[in-house]
Amino acid sequence: MENNQLLKISEIEGRGRGIVATQPLKPGQIILKDSPLFLYPASVKNSTFCSNCFRVILQSPIPCSWCTSSFFCTSNCQSIALSSSHTPWVCQSLTHLRNTFSSHNNLNVDQQIQAFFLISAYNLAVISPSSFRVLLSLQGDLSFVSESDALLLHSLVATCPSLNLGEFGFFKELTAALLAKDKVNAFGLMEPFEVDRERGVRAYGIYPMASFFNHDCLPNACRFEYVDTDVNSRSNTDIVVRVIHDVPEGREICLSYFPVNFKYSERQQRLKEDYGFTCNCDRCVVEANWSDGEDDAMDKEGEENEEEEEEDEEMEEDVDDEVNVNGEVEERDQDFPHAYFFLRYMCNRENCWGTLAPLPPDASPSSVMECNICGNMSKSDEL
């Protein structure tokens, strides 16, 4: 992995390419900061987020000079976008697509977002051919893309204003290949966390280095987004990956592609539909033998243990069990060996379920844990 002395890309048997540690890693250590090749909106029209930096617009939004569906947080963001992500061709094409969406009901939301992706990808080919080549080098399985969808979306983009794509050209096979790259490599930049509302996606981005992280249902690293912080920074859409705990040299670094509280059946369905594989990680091997009732019981137990006093009482009971009926406790630990991960590394804030990682270490590891979803800080000895 170029310019990164901590990681390397390796072929991993049964998993394809993945990222491996080249030296021992400490808890909280930042192992990657990655900038997107490009970003594209997750909704047809939204004045809540800037169309360039995707921060929440706190003051009166600045509308695009040519279209009525793109908004910016500052005139500086608008100026930057006009020469990069929101060129006149992009603006005209998005306006055309939105008019098409409103007059045709045969396109679902996913297809509309895929059309936005294609506009952004073909725009990248013009403004940065080298970055477009990086996009083409990423993994992508054409079996994930239906031929009818690819043809429909290609025909839709073909009705937009013409664009000279130079060496790359414009043909349906390239469109299908791009859709396959998007399917398995796009990261969602999430909306701000709110306790009483389900989080949505504000934008999607293609991150060339982070796309090589494989999935594990008990990850040893997690990614952080700081989209709405540091209003003067142009790198607010970078993602930061930190390790959760000690990782030895040679170990694969894995992220979880979704919140770690998902049940076994939910995880397997999501991974099969979205990424085309069945997970056989240590956690899934254990939980595959559980019945649905056991899975639900674990969820119910987690919900009932929200009060600190109740948690303390249960811990005391567990100690008594270990002393008095040691064999029974050992058997339960074998059935659920990853319970420690949930206790230490899963956020217990209501409706969050984020992953906790220590703050980056100085001379010694930090005792402060940060949630990668709600941003809550807590002392590790409080968990």
Side-chain angles (χ1 to χ4, degrees):
M1 184 171 285
E2 189 176 351
N3 299 326
N4 192 320
Q5 304 302 313
L6 303 174
L7 311 172
K8 67 178 180 180
I9 298 174
S10 298
E11 286 291 335
I12 300 173
E13 185 176 358
R15 294 171 64 84
R17 288 183 289 182
I19 294 180
V20 173
T22 59
Q23 57 184 271
L25 303 174
K26 299 177 181 178
Q29 188 169 353
I30 295 174
I31 57 174
L32 181 67
K33 289 184 178 180
D34 202 9
S35 301
L37 291 174
F38 62 92
L39 299 164
Y40 57 98
S43 60
V44 175
K45 183 176 181 179
N46 194 329
S47 59
T48 303
F49 305 107
C50 175
S51 294
N52 177 60
C53 68
F54 289 96
R55 292 184 177 95
V56 174
I57 299 177
L58 300 176
Q59 300 177 343
S60 298
I62 301 173
C64 174
S65 303
W66 295 296
C67 68
T68 60
S69 52
S70 297
F71 300 86
F72 303 94
C73 59
T74 64
S75 57
N76 184 50
C77 256
Q78 183 182 32
S79 176
I80 293 170
L82 291 178
S83 60
S84 55
S85 61
H86 198 73
T87 62
W89 179 79
V90 170
C91 182
Q92 295 168 25
S93 298
L94 292 180
T95 300
H96 170 74
L97 288 179
R98 285 167 175 135
N99 290 336
T100 302
F101 297 158
S102 62
S103 59
H104 294 77
N105 296 321
N106 60 332
L107 287 174
N108 60 43
V109 173
D110 286 343
Q111 290 171 326
Q112 294 176 17
I113 295 173
Q114 287 175 321
F116 292 158
F117 160 77
L118 289 172
I119 294 299
S120 298
Y122 279 122
N123 178 63
L124 184 70
V126 175
I127 64 173
S128 181
S130 61
S131 296
F132 190 72
R133 294 188 193 95
V134 172
L135 173 62
L136 294 178
S137 72
L138 300 179
Q139 299 181 84
D141 190 340
L142 285 172
S143 65
F144 289 174
V145 181
S146 74
E147 188 174 345
S148 59
D149 276 359
L151 184 58
L152 171 64
L153 290 165
H154 181 77
S155 301
L156 187 62
V157 175
T159 65
C160 294
S162 60
L163 182 68
N164 182 8
L165 294 170
E167 63 183 281
F168 303 111
F170 178 71
F171 47 94
K172 62 181 181 181
E173 290 79 9
L174 178 57
T175 295
L178 289 172
L179 291 171
K181 311 290 185 188
D182 177 56
K183 180 69 174 177
V184 297
N185 293 295
F187 285 79
L189 293 180
M190 306 302 293
E191 296 176 351
F193 173 79
E194 295 180 23
V195 172
D196 57 354
R197 187 175 67 89
E198 184 176 352
R199 266 179 119 204
V201 181
R202 68 175 90 193
Y204 293 97
I206 303 295
Y207 292 81
M209 292 182 286
S211 66
F212 287 100
F213 284 110
N214 285 325
H215 167 82
D216 196 288
C217 297
L218 290 178
N220 52 16
C222 59
R223 67 181 178 101
F224 289 82
E225 307 162 8
Y226 302 100
V227 182
D228 293 309
T229 60
D230 194 1
V231 295
N232 296 316
S233 173
R234 291 185 61 181
S235 59
N236 70 302
T237 55
D238 289 1
I239 58 175
V240 178
V241 178
R242 303 207 307 257
V243 292
I244 297 172
H245 49 68
D246 286 304
V247 175
E249 179 181 349
R251 180 70 54 84
E252 183 182 10
I253 309 296
C254 295
L255 307 178
S256 178
Y257 291 173
F258 34 71
V260 294
N261 70 309
F262 279 23
K263 295 191 296 185
Y264 172 77
S265 58
E266 295 171 334
R267 300 196 309 271
Q268 294 293 348
Q269 181 180 358
R270 179 85 168 263
L271 292 169
K272 192 66 176 177
E273 291 178 355
D274 291 354
Y275 302 98
F277 70 90
T278 299
C279 183
N280 294 306
C281 70
D282 292 343
R283 179 183 173 188
C284 285
V285 169
V286 171
E287 293 184 14
N289 297 318
W290 291 2
S291 67
D292 290 340
E294 288 176 309
D295 227 358
D296 293 337
M298 288 306 305
D299 289 344
K300 185 176 181 180
E301 182 180 345
E303 292 172 1
E304 293 174 347
N305 292 339
E306 292 179 353
E307 296 295 331
E308 184 176 353
E309 292 181 2
E310 293 178 358
E311 291 178 355
D312 290 342
E313 290 172 2
E314 287 195 338
M315 289 177 66
E316 291 172 3
E317 291 172 3
D318 286 345
V319 171
D320 292 339
D321 286 345
E322 186 173 356
V323 173
N324 297 324
V325 283
N326 190 53
E328 182 180 334
V329 172
E330 284 183 351
E331 182 178 351
R332 185 166 67 244
D333 286 347
Q334 290 171 0
D335 288 342
F336 194 43
H338 41 277
Y340 177 77
F341 183 94
F342 295 140
L343 290 173
R344 185 168 180 82
Y345 301 116
M346 188 171 73
C347 183
N348 60 7
R349 190 174 178 184
E350 184 180 359
N351 293 331
C352 177
W353 314 114
T355 303
L356 303 176
L359 293 180
D362 293 324
S364 59
S366 173
S367 62
V368 179
M369 308 288 279
E370 180 184 10
C371 175
N372 72 335
I373 289 183
C374 71
N376 196 39
M377 301 282 189
S378 56
K379 284 279 191 177
S380 58
D381 55 6
E382 296 173 354
L383 300 176

